Amino acid sequence: MSLGGMRGAASTITVVPPPDRPPPGAATGAVTLITGDRVIVTGASVRVEPGPGRQTGFTRQVIEGHLNVIPYDARPLLA
């Protein structure tokens, strides 16, 4: 097989996942909170969808590598 004058040349190929997929090893998943709100994690992106009929905000924190999502209206109930 001949590479037609490409002897000694080095090339680099970078494989990038399609934009609709997170990079390999990235956290992905979803969980429904007891309030009915849904937390969706895709790579480094976090999205929170309020449950049916709910109108509240959310606190998001990462503590010791764990993502914590707390609805504003549930904060007084936590000790």
Side-chain angles (χ1 to χ4, degrees):
M1 179 177 199
S2 172
L3 296 176
M6 297 279 299
R7 273 185 234 150
S11 65
T12 303
I13 298 174
T14 304
V15 178
V16 179
D20 62 336
R21 277 193 241 159
T28 60
V31 65
T32 302
L33 305 179
I34 195 166
T35 56
D37 307 311
R38 198 153 158 78
V39 180
I40 298 117
V41 177
T42 307
S45 172
V46 177
R47 186 175 81 239
V48 182
E49 298 175 351
R54 289 183 43 78
Q55 296 181 355
T56 188
F58 300 88
T59 299
R60 290 185 249 178
Q61 304 172 316
V62 176
I63 300 173
E64 295 182 13
H66 298 276
L67 173 65
N68 295 286
V69 177
I70 303 169
Y72 289 154
D73 59 353
R75 289 189 321 185
L77 304 173
L78 301 174

